[in-house]
Amino acid sequence: MTVTYTARVANARFCGFSKLLLAWKGSIYKVLYKEFLAFFAMYTAISITYRFLLFDDQKRYFEKLAIYCNHYASLIPMSFVLGFYVTLVVNRWWSQYTSIPLPDRLMCVLSGGLQGTDERGRLLRRTMMRYTSLSALLILRSVSTAVFKRFPTMDHVVEAGFMSREERKKFEGLHSPYNKYWIPCVWFTNLAAAARCEGRIKDDHTLKLLLEELNAFRGKCSMLFHYDMISVPLVYTQVVTLAVYSFFLVCLIGRQFLDPDQGYPGHDLDLYLPIFTLLQFFFYAGWLKVAEQLINPFGEDDDDFETNWLIDRNFQVSMMAVDDMYGDLPMMERDRYWNDSNPRPPYTAATLFVLRKPSFQGSTFDMAIPKEEMHFQPLEDIAENLEESSSHHPNMALFNRLLNVAPSPTGFMGGAFRRTSAQPQRLRRSPSIDPCTSDDEDDESVKVGKGGSLPSGLGQEPQSTVCSFREEKSARTPLLEIEFGAERLERAVEGWSEEEWQMTEERREVESTRDETQAPASLLPPPPDSSRETSTQSVSAIPFASRHRSAFLFHPAAHSSLEHCSSQPAINQNRAVPAIPKPPFGGNKVSFLTVPSYDEPQRFRSVSMGSELTGS
């Protein structure tokens, strides 16, 4: 029987496994002692030959050979090959055990599903369970040497009572070149169908459940047959065996103790007994023996499966379940906890300590949380906190500045679309006062007002929004990015220092002064006072409030005749453009975010962003 030591290692204690080292049955000593003695004998013979039988020149040659073998013996991948092989064999070993057919589920379904206390009902139940035991016996007889020795011929099977003589004739009359362990299962299904016709199986659901359990039983029989037919690949077994044996054959020469007087490195000590070499042989060869013993667990080794015991157990239990126990029920009575809503079975003195342990409620059951963190928070406050944390992040200002200098995707898309939809034209600056709305342009110039918007991807920076002015033909001021709303602008300029603000103001003042001296006089009449007043009152057409100076500043000369480039024809081209009021923080700089108001609505469209702004 299989060596069982589970009870001896039930509790971990000091040197708990050391008690198992003295066992002999199923031990490594019993399996390996012959190979170990053979290896030690060969090592001793070579050592005696080297020390006493060889001449000096022969000893020198043997010493060189020993050093060579010891150096290159480490190239053999012992641990790698053996580790994978033993893992594969152990997994296969346990899978074969779980494939052994057991009749427990089938006998319960049969006992409850096939009704009848008469002799016919009893005969049906016993015969059907005997057929399942016969099928398991036939497959185990095919794969297990221990079972085959017990039932070497079919006569032994008939004599043991698993098969009648008439059934044997039927069995042998069915000619098939393959294993016929499945024939009793077919007999079982035929008897189940007959019992359904007789009404002993009450409904089709019970018949279906019975046949499903039979198919599961037969499937395990088939798995055992295929495990026996499909072995671990032979080449893998040969590689592992050759690796182990060749390694220790090389060690017989390479691990010899050489003459210390010759001064070879690592051979300063002369011992007659190679302790660590013997231990290495014990471990690696023992590892190989483990795989050799587990690769076929249906043999007769100490740790092989007890197949004969399984046959006896399954046959006796199944017959008792469907015959002796059928309809044999104990009298029902109230249990001792009938009126107890919280029944607790008693404990002995040896297990009384279990009552002192509190019942496990969960890993977070005893976790403590501060009271100030236990109050529910409104969802509005949570959203505001998240927004503040994201806006006041120390790296947000730098991140926004990096985004401002990145190319605008709309610029690339617009330019690519126009390059593919129209023939390329050389862009020239228009000599007219209003290049966006002029109808008298040269044929080679770009007509933006009527023909469409100026390509934002040609002849200019792709990240800028195109803005032109009537009084300045050559200067085009790029707009990096406009963010509407006070909070977005605050985030855009939050990282600017005071020195940067001063340098920016000085540079723009110089540019403003230079542009005022160079810009031509405006040819348009000044706007009426009513429109100027209206525009002054409607400065806040777009909500904007910030405690910082605007990052988008332009010189007044340019703002005196602000114009947009639109994909639509300009509306009211001859209408006077009102003056833009100054920002509230003073100076000659004007914020581009200030939107004037007019008597009639006008549409403003950004070329790169494609959005319309309507001023009223």
Side-chain angles (χ1 to χ4, degrees):
M1 183 176 285
T2 303
V3 179
T4 302
Y5 57 90
T6 308
R8 302 175 64 180
V9 293
N11 299 321
R13 59 184 64 139
F14 179 72
C15 297
F17 283 175
S18 60
K19 298 180 180 179
L20 304 177
L21 298 178
L22 303 178
W24 174 254
K25 185 179 180 180
S27 64
I28 188 63
Y29 319 119
K30 183 179 180 180
V31 175
L32 192 62
Y33 77 94
K34 295 180 181 179
E35 286 84 352
F36 184 83
L37 292 178
F39 177 79
F40 183 72
M42 287 188 290
Y43 183 90
T44 304
I46 295 175
S47 178
I48 293 174
T49 302
Y50 163 69
R51 295 174 184 274
F52 302 105
L53 300 179
L54 296 181
F55 298 104
D56 292 339
D57 55 344
Q58 294 175 343
K59 288 183 179 180
R60 304 291 88 78
Y61 181 80
F62 180 83
E63 291 166 358
K64 294 179 181 179
L65 180 62
I67 294 174
Y68 176 83
C69 293
N70 188 36
H71 178 71
Y72 287 99
S74 59
L75 298 179
I76 300 176
M78 290 284 296
S79 301
F80 178 78
V81 174
L82 269 176
F84 277 99
Y85 186 75
V86 173
T87 302
L88 173 64
V89 169
V90 171
N91 292 334
R92 176 186 171 89
W93 167 78
W94 183 249
S95 298
Q96 290 182 79
Y97 180 77
T98 56
S99 299
I100 294 177
L102 300 175
D104 298 63
R105 297 179 58 178
L106 183 58
M107 69 186 185
C108 293
V109 176
L110 183 61
S111 178
L114 201 153
Q115 306 296 325
T117 57
D118 56 347
E119 185 177 357
R120 173 66 177 173
R122 179 186 179 191
L123 181 62
L124 283 173
R125 288 190 298 272
R126 289 184 64 91
T127 303
M128 293 171 72
M129 284 309 306
R130 182 168 58 84
Y131 285 161
T132 58
S133 299
L134 176 61
S135 181
L137 172 63
L138 293 177
I139 193 61
L140 290 175
R141 180 174 175 268
S142 301
V143 302
S144 176
T145 57
V147 176
F148 186 82
K149 289 181 178 180
R150 182 180 178 183
F151 305 99
T153 63
M154 294 302 297
D155 294 333
H156 294 80
V157 176
V158 174
E159 192 69 24
F162 288 92
M163 181 185 292
S164 65
R165 298 188 182 275
E166 185 65 25
E167 292 168 351
R168 179 187 176 186
K169 291 179 181 179
K170 289 284 186 180
F171 184 84
E172 294 179 349
L174 298 173
H175 301 287
S176 176
Y178 308 107
N179 196 314
K180 296 187 290 185
Y181 67 90
W182 48 270
I183 291 179
C185 294
V186 178
W187 293 343
F188 184 99
T189 58
N190 293 335
L191 287 179
R196 178 69 181 96
C197 294
E198 296 176 5
R200 298 183 181 275
I201 297 178
K202 297 301 182 182
D203 49 31
D204 294 335
H205 179 73
T206 305
L207 178 63
K208 178 178 177 292
L209 181 60
L210 184 63
L211 295 181
E212 286 178 351
E213 293 297 333
L214 176 68
N215 287 331
F217 184 87
R218 184 208 169 277
K220 290 191 174 183
C221 295
S222 178
M223 284 301 299
L224 284 184
F225 179 77
H226 288 290
Y227 269 119
D228 185 65
M229 182 176 65
I230 308 298
S231 304
V232 177
L234 180 62
V235 291
Y236 200 179
T237 304
Q238 289 176 342
V239 167
V240 174
T241 305
L242 288 176
V244 175
Y245 287 173
S246 61
F247 176 79
F248 287 108
L249 286 176
V250 173
C251 288
L252 289 175
I253 299 176
R255 300 294 176 86
Q256 293 288 338
F257 290 98
L258 305 181
D259 188 2
D261 297 337
Q262 301 300 321
Y264 296 113
H267 292 275
D268 301 332
L269 185 62
D270 186 11
L271 297 177
Y272 294 95
L273 185 64
I275 299 176
F276 290 99
T277 301
L278 294 177
L279 288 176
Q280 193 175 22
F281 177 84
F282 189 83
F283 297 147
Y284 282 129
W287 208 357
L288 182 64
K289 281 295 180 180
V290 169
E292 182 181 342
Q293 191 172 21
L294 298 182
I295 194 170
N296 183 14
F298 294 101
E300 298 179 272
D301 296 329
D302 291 337
D303 274 322
D304 286 343
F305 300 151
E306 292 292 338
T307 51
N308 285 318
W309 176 85
L310 287 173
I311 291 173
D312 298 339
R313 181 261 175 195
N314 294 340
F315 186 71
Q316 192 271 335
V317 169
S318 61
M319 288 299 179
M320 179 184 294
V322 299
D323 189 14
D324 297 341
M325 295 182 63
Y326 179 78
D328 186 11
L329 298 175
M331 182 180 297
M332 291 188 297
E333 60 182 9
R334 295 183 178 182
D335 58 84
R336 61 180 303 176
Y337 306 104
W338 181 265
N339 297 321
D340 192 356
S341 61
N342 185 21
R344 297 193 66 180
Y347 287 85
T348 61
T351 59
L352 192 60
F353 67 94
V354 179
L355 294 175
R356 302 189 184 98
K357 296 181 180 179
S359 178
F360 181 74
Q361 301 293 334
S363 57
T364 62
F365 186 74
D366 297 329
M367 189 173 70
I369 301 177
K371 291 185 178 180
E372 59 272 9
E373 297 181 5
M374 297 175 63
H375 300 289
F376 286 111
Q377 299 293 327
L379 295 179
E380 295 80 5
D381 297 344
I382 297 176
E384 291 178 0
N385 293 336
L386 293 176
E387 186 176 358
E388 291 179 0
S389 62
S390 61
S391 61
H392 293 291
H393 194 274
N395 295 328
M396 187 58 65
L398 178 61
F399 180 70
N400 289 332
R401 293 178 64 183
L402 293 177
L403 290 180
N404 289 337
V405 299
S408 173
T410 56
F412 289 117
M413 294 172 61
F417 177 77
R418 292 174 179 83
R419 283 196 295 272
T420 56
S421 61
Q423 295 181 354
Q425 296 181 353
R426 183 171 60 85
L427 299 179
R428 297 189 308 180
R429 304 186 185 277
S430 175
S432 65
I433 299 175
D434 190 359
C436 293
T437 59
S438 177
D439 296 332
D440 299 331
E441 289 289 330
D442 193 283
D443 293 336
E444 297 180 358
S445 64
V446 179
K447 296 181 179 181
V448 178
K450 294 183 178 181
S453 60
L454 183 65
S456 61
L458 299 176
Q460 52 190 307
E461 295 181 5
Q463 73 269 21
S464 64
T465 301
V466 180
C467 297
S468 61
F469 304 92
R470 288 187 178 91
E471 297 180 358
E472 183 172 351
K473 307 175 186 177
S474 61
R476 296 181 182 271
T477 306
L479 177 61
L480 299 181
E481 183 180 2
I482 297 179
E483 295 187 2
F484 296 94
E487 294 181 359
R488 295 185 179 179
L489 188 59
E490 289 180 38
R491 293 197 302 268
V493 300
E494 188 176 6
W496 285 35
S497 62
E498 188 65 27
E499 296 180 358
E500 292 180 359
W501 278 109
Q502 294 178 1
M503 294 176 62
T504 305
E505 291 177 0
E506 293 175 0
R507 182 170 65 253
R508 294 191 180 278
E509 288 178 359
V510 174
E511 293 178 357
S512 176
T513 305
R514 183 183 59 200
D515 292 340
E516 288 177 357
T517 58
Q518 295 179 0
S522 175
L523 300 179
L524 296 177
D529 297 338
S530 60
S531 64
R532 182 180 295 109
E533 293 176 358
T534 305
S535 63
T536 305
Q537 295 176 359
S538 60
V539 171
S540 59
I542 298 177
F544 173 73
S546 174
R547 64 176 181 273
H548 300 285
R549 295 185 176 93
S550 175
F552 311 103
L553 302 178
F554 300 90
H555 47 80
H559 284 285
S560 64
S561 59
L562 175 65
E563 175 193 303
H564 67 281
C565 289
S566 172
S567 61
Q568 302 291 336
I571 301 176
N572 299 328
Q573 300 176 7
N574 298 326
R575 182 177 298 278
V577 179
I580 307 298
K582 295 183 180 181
F585 49 82
N588 294 327
K589 286 70 179 177
V590 180
S591 173
F592 188 77
L593 296 179
T594 306
V595 180
S597 63
Y598 304 92
D599 295 338
E600 297 181 5
Q602 279 190 341
R603 292 186 299 173
F604 292 89
R605 174 173 295 179
S606 175
V607 174
S608 63
M609 299 183 64
S611 60
E612 293 185 1
L613 303 176
T614 303
S616 58

